Amino acid sequence: MQASFSRPAAATVLAIALAAVGLGPAASPAAAATIPAGAGSYTDSRPAGTSGPTTNTGAPVTPKLTAAAKDRPVPTNDWWSSLAYQRYGDNPYSTPMYGHPLTYQATSGGLQVGYPTTPAVVGDGRQYEYAHKADLTVGLSGLNSPDTKADDWSDWTVTPYWSDGTRTLRTTIGHGMPFVYAKGSGGDARITTAGTPTVFADNGNVLGITVAGHHYALFAPTGSDWAVSGSTITAGLGGKDYFSLAVLPSTDALATYRKYAFSFVTGSKVAWSSTGGTVKATYTLTTEAKEGTERGTIQALYRHQWLHTSDALTPYTYVSPRGTMKVRESASFTTSQKGSGVLPALPASGGVDKARLTGYLNEVANASDPFSGAGDTYWTGKALGRLAQLVPVADQIGQPGIRDKLLGLMKGRLQEWFTAGGAAEFSYDRTWKTLTGYPASYGSDTELNDHHFHYSYYVYAAAIVAQYDQAWAADSAWGTMVKTLVRDTANPSRTDTAYPFLRGFDVYAGHSWASGHQGFAAGNNQESSSESVNLSAGLVLWGAATGDTALRDLGSYLLTTESEAIAQYWFDADQQVFPGSFGHDTVGMVWGSGGAYSTWWTANPEEIHGINVLPVTGGSLHLARDKAAVRRNIAEMQRENGGQAVEWRDILWEFESLADPAAAKAKWDAGNAGYTPEQGESRAHTYHWISTLDSLGAPDPSVSGDIPTSAVFTKNGVRTYSAHNHGATARTVTFSDGATLSVPARSTATGTGTGGGDPDPDPEEPGPSTGNTFRLKSGGTLTTATDGAAGADTLASADGVNRDGTPYRPTVYEARKVDGTLAAGASTAFRLRVDAGTKVGLAPQVRVSYDLTGDGTFDRTETFRYFATDPVAGWEEYTQAVGTAAVTGSLGNLKGGTVRLEVWNALGNGTSQVQTGTDAAVVKIPYV
């Protein structure tokens, strides 16, 4: 515990009026002050002896911004933050920035651009990375800038700025953008390549080059002409100030990309909604036409996005550390997902022994120090979180005395932190426009790290208090301080002059970043994705408890989006993201360049696996969606650990219970005597969690309720529905399977539902209704519909390695929620058209898999022999007649099941294509 300190409140009090509803905005203070915030307050000067943002040597640092941007709140904790936050004194430019598919690094001469396509496994096999390596540098002839500054930014784009007094350069770059848009003055456009380029197209102002095996197109204004001299390529701009380049998925894409070369991206924006259990988000780029009238553009979608869009995609793809990115020819796209539900606590069940649980609750409530000596923002937050989990549990089993004692402890500690001038307080930094708690920890002050981790616990705890004491949560009381923490970490406003929009959450990447400065060769990183989700869950509960539906829906969007990102990028749920050479089923940390089986502080497998689980709350239910991934995760932990969990056994028991409640209960029964709970956990909460799920069954995320505070559990085919109604009047909650549940005001209700049945297909993700023949549809779906457009998808190269029998970067098509009775004597059949063009030695291969119940575990896989294509352009037919190479598992009736077809190149060193949307692109399953 850090030593306590105190200092008098500032003599001058500056009153700043926050809006009575919403989060503000409020003006930044103009002089040192204690700033009232309802019944609470914070300061705008740091406590004596403490630090704000510094370089790595401890020198104070200020934002590196142009004059145009100097008054805007700096979005630290982003994929490009090193442009604005100079962590290293000898690097006034940037560290590598991972936009995907492109990577970037600012230098004195301009912007390095790379497209890493081959992963390296490093660190004794514990990390995979697609490290930045420059293919070329975008600049101006003679440019030699002393630094690079952030000039403009939007939701997922940024514009770096260079000036050497004679020449100026701006480039706009972003997530999912294959283009780099440049505006310059004082010199010719200059592209410097890493090696002598091969020119594959020369059309004057349009030049196609190949560098290091990657294809690029360079675009200068009409009337200009690119000149190639060794590794230097230049073009006069003819009085204009713009040029662009794009990385191409193949040389034949040049004509398509050329259409959008002068449709310059000027901004990016996400708009979200959460209605009736469905979360939608639309991602839009704004553009301006530098030549002609074209205002469209090209975007590359991450896996977590293209899995949930029905918008048309092209056959083009890119390689990235997040798996295959798919290309859309449009300035916008929309995703739609079932919302991830949040409950204040798991519902009441007959599996809990109330007397035993009361004893465990008293252990916490009557502890000599319920906060375990915590003094800084993080460990205080963990202690608040531990108490917050027990309040609704005590209430549930009829222990109001324990409930109120816990609430009193939480209120007291929150109010200490929410009042300036004591041993613990929050301080606003006017230069960096951020709120920092002191005592700080883990670089939350000097590096602006982890604010969303630390403050998540305060917001979540405040939400539980608000559930029982609305007066405490009023803006005139302590609600304004809670909202101020939200403004710092998850501000929904783009016009707030005091805090940036969604500081830590990267809306396009689908998850948060932890480092404030992003000063690493591997880009930014996030370790504890579950603590990021804890903030989102806290927003759902706080918004619901206080009637702030906009904030509630923001939390639902953040949670639902990050849930898919966690499943794909931390847990590799579909086994389509991690490189085949990486020998792990999960990562403890995601980096811009890849992922690592590690944590910041230990190589202990229990903590590597557990850090993306804790804290276990009613916001953790989303993890149950991919039960096979949970099982693989636990199995790997035990292999790496040499046995069952010891140090973090409670966290990992709770995690396992999301997939296998009975197995977790057996481990609890055998190992709960004498263990020490993880510091954010308690024996009471672990017992309640495991016993409840053993009684009700694992969460069933295939069904969602029409309010965010609802969830469903399934055991032996029986569903139990639960919802919490924070409102002042009773309401009926309707679930996506048709079941309804009546919920009294300010209460949790649990039951088997009225009118429930098998869930209907999500209207945004249509499942099959009739028939057993499915067409392959670009975008990754199998559909019984026969009216779709014909197309083709690109199959990734085998990279010269024999991939026979093992899917390698496969193109995947799925039909979900499939019902069917196994047909006697029938077998899987397929008819595909494939084409390798003129490439020699390629061989597409197919695997068909069946998940009979839709629980995430494939019960049957059938791998067919590969089909050797000829080097003659034109479609060839590949069918099941080649025979199976391997079969595992058994078939049975499909009940809400999943059918998956994977196709990949088993041999060769080039891409090929598979036809989609025709009657020659089908799989027929052996069901009626």
Side-chain angles (χ1 to χ4, degrees):
M1 179 179 177
Q2 297 187 27
S4 297
F5 57 85
S6 61
R7 63 190 184 91
T12 303
V13 175
L14 177 65
I16 292 186
L18 292 172
V21 294
L23 300 181
S28 301
T34 293
I35 303 160
S41 57
Y42 58 96
T43 71
D44 71 340
S45 58
R46 288 187 295 272
T50 64
S51 295
T54 67
T55 66
N56 63 318
T57 60
V61 64
T62 57
K64 193 156 57 78
L65 307 175
T66 64
K70 67 181 179 63
D71 294 326
R72 295 177 62 184
V74 182
T76 58
N77 307 79
D78 215 330
W79 66 273
W80 57 265
S81 294
S82 61
L83 282 170
Y85 189 140
Q86 185 177 341
R87 178 66 175 164
Y88 307 102
D90 60 352
N91 181 1
Y93 305 103
S94 81
T95 53
M97 301 173 289
Y98 293 81
H100 307 143
L102 292 173
T103 60
Y104 317 95
Q105 185 167 9
T107 67
S108 61
L111 182 71
Q112 289 184 355
V113 178
Y115 173 41
T117 54
T118 302
V121 177
V122 299
D124 296 324
R126 301 175 74 88
Q127 182 165 349
Y128 78 87
E129 61 180 15
Y130 292 77
H132 168 69
K133 183 178 180 181
D135 289 338
L136 50 83
T137 300
V138 180
L140 301 173
S141 295
L143 178 65
N144 184 21
S145 179
D147 57 24
T148 308
K149 298 175 181 178
D151 184 58
D152 194 13
W153 53 83
S154 60
D155 288 9
W156 63 88
T157 67
V158 64
T159 300
Y161 171 89
W162 295 258
S163 178
D164 62 9
T166 302
R167 290 155 288 265
T168 62
L169 174 69
R170 291 174 174 86
T171 62
T172 297
I173 55 179
H175 279 314
M177 286 171 46
F179 280 92
V180 175
Y181 306 95
K183 296 177 69 175
S185 64
D188 292 342
R190 177 186 175 108
I191 307 296
T192 307
T193 58
T196 302
T198 300
V199 176
F200 66 82
D202 188 349
N203 300 301
N205 70 318
V206 178
L207 188 71
I209 62 173
T210 301
V211 182
H214 304 138
H215 311 301
Y216 291 88
L218 313 181
F219 305 100
T222 298
S224 300
D225 189 15
W226 290 103
V228 181
S229 177
S231 60
T232 301
I233 306 172
T234 57
L237 297 179
K240 304 294 196 300
D241 66 351
Y242 56 85
F243 61 101
S244 66
L245 68 81
V247 62
L248 303 178
S250 60
T251 55
D252 61 9
L254 176 58
T256 299
Y257 281 60
R258 182 175 183 172
K259 291 188 295 184
Y260 306 107
F262 301 114
S263 178
F264 272 41
V265 168
T266 57
S268 57
K269 186 175 183 179
V270 64
W272 60 84
S273 66
S274 177
T275 305
T278 298
V279 174
K280 292 185 178 183
T282 298
Y283 300 84
T284 302
L285 294 173
T286 55
T287 62
E288 64 174 348
K290 291 295 186 181
E291 292 186 8
T293 59
E294 180 60 64
R295 295 288 300 275
T297 190
I298 287 175
Q299 299 187 75
L301 279 63
Y302 283 115
R303 180 176 181 83
H304 76 274
Q305 295 169 325
W306 58 254
L307 280 172
H308 297 287
T309 188
S310 58
D311 292 338
L313 304 175
T314 73
Y316 299 126
T317 62
Y318 288 104
V319 175
S320 86
R322 310 293 180 252
T324 299
M325 299 183 79
K326 297 190 177 185
V327 173
R328 174 160 167 78
E329 198 173 346
S330 175
S332 70
F333 64 90
T334 297
T335 61
S336 179
Q337 296 173 254
K338 276 189 169 63
S340 298
V342 179
L343 293 175
L346 292 185
S349 77
V352 172
D353 181 324
K354 293 183 179 180
R356 184 179 185 183
L357 181 54
T358 298
Y360 289 152
L361 287 167
N362 278 319
E363 287 179 6
V364 177
N366 297 329
S368 58
D369 179 6
F371 292 91
S372 303
D376 62 46
T377 48
Y378 182 70
W379 291 105
T380 298
K382 292 267 289 185
L384 286 166
R386 182 175 64 249
L387 301 181
Q389 299 314 309
L390 300 182
V391 169
V393 170
D395 188 52
Q396 185 182 101
I397 65 169
Q399 292 291 342
I402 299 175
R403 177 199 66 196
D404 293 344
K405 184 172 185 178
L406 295 171
L407 283 169
L409 290 168
M410 292 162 59
K411 290 178 185 178
R413 188 55 56 96
L414 284 168
Q415 289 167 201
E416 287 177 18
W417 277 89
F418 289 171
T419 304
E425 67 178 12
F426 285 96
S427 172
Y428 180 77
D429 187 316
R430 289 177 290 167
T431 301
W432 284 95
K433 294 180 168 55
T434 188
L435 190 76
T436 302
Y438 292 94
S441 54
Y442 303 109
S444 60
D445 51 353
T446 57
E447 301 178 57
L448 300 185
N449 294 340
D450 300 351
H451 283 203
H452 63 310
F453 293 165
H454 295 206
Y455 304 171
S456 74
Y457 292 101
Y458 295 74
V459 174
Y460 199 112
I464 296 298
V465 173
Q467 181 178 328
Y468 294 92
D469 187 346
Q470 289 188 306
W472 185 92
D475 287 350
S476 58
W478 301 98
T480 297
M481 276 303 299
V482 178
K483 291 180 178 182
T484 304
L485 268 63
V486 172
R487 287 173 72 199
D488 182 70
T489 54
N491 190 4
S493 172
R494 296 178 181 86
T495 59
D496 191 335
T497 59
Y499 298 94
F501 172 69
L502 296 180
R503 180 186 303 279
F505 193 82
D506 186 327
V507 296
Y508 204 89
H511 59 81
S512 296
W513 297 110
S515 169
H517 52 73
Q518 186 260 312
F520 303 96
N524 214 322
N525 71 89
Q526 179 165 258
E527 183 180 60
S528 184
S529 59
S530 47
E531 287 181 306
S532 177
V533 163
N534 194 48
L535 175 59
S536 304
L539 296 178
V540 170
L541 295 177
W542 173 263
T546 61
D548 188 339
T549 56
L551 201 58
R552 179 200 67 187
D553 292 349
L554 168 64
S556 189
Y557 161 68
L558 298 177
L559 173 54
T560 300
T561 304
E562 191 154 22
S563 172
E564 184 65 75
I566 292 166
Q568 299 300 331
Y569 311 141
W570 274 261
F571 296 159
D572 198 15
D574 296 335
Q575 299 181 287
Q576 302 295 318
V577 173
F578 296 172
S581 53
F582 182 62
H584 294 283
D585 291 320
T586 189
V587 294
M589 303 173 69
V590 160
W591 287 88
S593 65
Y597 186 78
S598 63
T599 72
W600 279 110
W601 77 95
T602 182
N604 178 2
E606 296 183 32
E607 289 159 281
I608 292 172
H609 288 259
I611 192 58
N612 284 291
V613 178
L614 63 78
V616 177
T617 75
S620 304
L621 304 179
H622 71 98
L623 294 171
R625 189 195 63 192
D626 298 288
K627 294 179 173 60
V630 175
R631 295 184 186 107
R632 288 196 305 270
N633 197 309
I634 293 294
E636 181 181 21
M637 183 280 297
Q638 292 175 175
R639 289 195 307 271
E640 295 286 333
N641 205 42
Q644 299 291 332
V646 178
E647 292 181 36
W648 279 11
R649 68 181 77 179
D650 44 2
I651 298 294
L652 293 162
W653 289 339
E654 290 170 304
F655 184 38
E656 186 170 13
S657 69
L658 294 170
D660 292 310
K665 180 64 160 51
K667 290 178 180 177
W668 160 268
D669 289 341
N672 71 78
Y675 81 97
T676 300
E678 187 273 333
Q679 285 179 278
E681 260 300 340
S682 64
R683 205 177 307 272
H685 180 256
T686 302
Y687 170 68
H688 179 265
W689 182 275
I690 292 173
S691 299
T692 300
L693 292 182
D694 184 54
S695 177
L696 300 181
D700 182 357
S702 70
V703 184
S704 60
D706 64 1
I707 61 171
T709 51
S710 59
V712 181
F713 307 86
T714 300
K715 182 175 183 179
N716 298 328
V718 177
R719 285 178 176 152
T720 299
Y721 303 84
S722 184
H724 186 85
N725 176 13
H726 286 88
T729 59
R731 66 167 298 160
T732 297
V733 176
T734 301
F735 292 83
S736 59
D737 63 352
T740 60
L741 183 68
S742 296
V743 190
R746 307 199 191 287
S747 301
T748 296
T750 304
T752 54
T754 300
D758 292 330
D760 293 326
D762 189 314
E764 297 300 323
E765 298 177 8
S769 53
T770 60
N772 61 358
T773 301
F774 300 86
R775 286 190 179 188
L776 280 64
K777 179 182 176 183
S778 291
T781 59
L782 295 172
T783 177
T784 55
T786 59
D787 56 354
D793 285 345
T794 299
L795 305 182
S797 172
D799 294 333
V801 176
N802 187 329
R803 312 288 184 180
D804 183 14
T806 304
Y808 176 71
R809 293 162 56 192
T811 300
V812 181
Y813 305 88
E814 280 191 354
R816 300 185 181 184
K817 305 168 189 170
V818 184
D819 294 334
T821 302
L822 184 63
S827 59
T828 304
F830 63 86
R831 179 188 180 201
L832 303 180
R833 285 181 178 167
V834 293
D835 180 26
T838 58
K839 303 180 187 75
V840 177
L842 272 58
Q845 190 166 23
V846 161
R847 182 168 76 178
V848 180
S849 304
Y850 298 88
D851 171 359
L852 300 179
T853 60
D855 67 355
T857 299
F858 284 94
D859 305 280
R860 166 86 164 190
T861 61
E862 302 173 3
T863 304
F864 292 84
R865 294 188 176 95
Y866 61 70
F867 176 79
T869 52
D870 62 34
V872 179
W875 296 111
E876 300 176 76
E877 194 157 280
Y878 175 24
T879 74
Q880 80 286 346
V882 297
T884 55
V887 176
T888 62
S890 301
L891 288 170
N893 293 339
L894 284 163
K895 183 71 170 177
T898 299
V899 179
R900 173 186 290 179
L901 184 144
E902 300 165 274
V903 56
W904 70 97
N905 277 313
L907 302 174
N909 199 4
T911 60
S912 59
Q913 288 193 312
V914 60
Q915 198 172 98
T916 61
T918 73
D919 59 4
V922 298
V923 58
K924 183 176 181 180
I925 63 175
Y927 290 86
V928 293

